[in-house]
Amino acid sequence: MTDAERWFPYRPDDAPVRLYCLPHAGGSASAFRSWLGAVPGLAVCPVQPPGREGRHREQPYAHMRDLVRDLAPAVLADVAGAGGGPYAVYGHSLGAMTAFELVREIDALGGPRPVHLLVSGCGAPPLCGGLEGLRPIRDMSLEEIAGLLRRLGGTPEWLLANQALLAMVVTPFRADFTVKENYRYVPGDPLDVPVTALAATDDPRASVADTAAWEAHTRAGFTLRTLMGGHFAVLEQPDLTHKHIAAALQPWL
């Protein structure tokens, strides 16, 4: 398996713009599989972190710094391999934090910047991190993690109720939340990349106000869009999400 196949398991059709999509904690590239071909002119490239699906034998990351240090060169190589055209980055929840740090790492490497950063399910960097009031996920039992996932939403009950199946998916979940718990925002200059933030009206993890605070992290333009619903509204309402993505990327599509 090549480096590109490991990180980007779903190869998109040719299109003017590539969109690298980073999943939520415990999520995988397949969360965005249905997005392939959904937006005309957009080549959706779901990102597959190690420790899940086709990379289940690989050790997941425990620190954001290590993750983006490895991911940034893979993205830049993929962009170059596609002809060096415009690309954007999207992330949901933990994926939004990763997307932000990925853009910073690409900038530090001197690589071509994305034309847009899109985030959802996550307050601005100083306002996101571990889950307040909870002991570390790595110390939780399987039953405690099942209870936490029920409260967060987005995980089917049939999986949560099956101990054998839950044990199979809990490793990347523990690892991703360890990344989240270990994350410390380091202040820096605002991005020279426009940002669109999608906020859900009833998201207990990222309020509309906390999501609006992303505006302070770009000097290239900011747009806030709202959706009705909870933490996974962007995945539950793909047509509306795709409409907002298309509007953000319209100049390049």
Side-chain angles (χ1 to χ4, degrees), residues 188-215:
D189 293 335
L191 300 177
D192 288 311
V193 174
V195 174
T196 291
L198 309 180
T201 55
D202 300 310
D203 187 346
R205 305 267 306 285
S207 69
V208 173
D210 285 354
T211 306
W214 278 95
E215 184 173 10

Side-chain angles (χ1 to χ4, degrees), residues 100 103-104 107 113 117 125 185-195 213-222:
F100 172 71
V103 174
R104 293 174 107 187
D107 211 35
R113 295 185 181 112
L117 170 64
Y185 167 68
V186 177
D189 293 335
L191 300 177
D192 288 311
V193 174
V195 174
W214 278 95
E215 184 173 10
H217 296 275
T218 177
R219 52 190 170 205
F222 175 76

Side-chain angles (χ1 to χ4, degrees), residues 131 134-140 145 148 173-174 177 181:
L131 295 176
L134 293 179
R135 63 196 181 97
I137 302 295
R138 62 181 176 272
D139 296 334
M140 288 187 176
I145 289 178
L148 173 60
F173 179 80
R174 284 188 194 274
F177 266 93
E181 290 162 348

Side-chain angles (χ1 to χ4, degrees), residues 99-170:
F100 172 71
E101 293 296 343
L102 172 64
V103 174
R104 293 174 107 187
E105 179 68 12
I106 288 172
D107 211 35
L109 292 174
R113 295 185 181 112
V115 297
H116 214 98
L117 170 64
L118 300 105
V119 295
S120 62
C122 185
L127 305 174
C128 58
L131 295 176
E132 295 79 2
L134 293 179
R135 63 196 181 97
I137 302 295
R138 62 181 176 272
D139 296 334
M140 288 187 176
S141 67
L142 206 58
E143 291 75 17
E144 288 175 307
I145 289 178
L148 173 60
L149 289 172
R150 283 191 180 93
R151 294 197 298 277
L152 296 178
T155 305
E157 181 59 35
W158 58 263
L159 190 155
L160 296 175
N162 188 313
Q163 292 282 296
L165 289 177
L166 184 60
M168 292 173 63
V169 301
V170 78

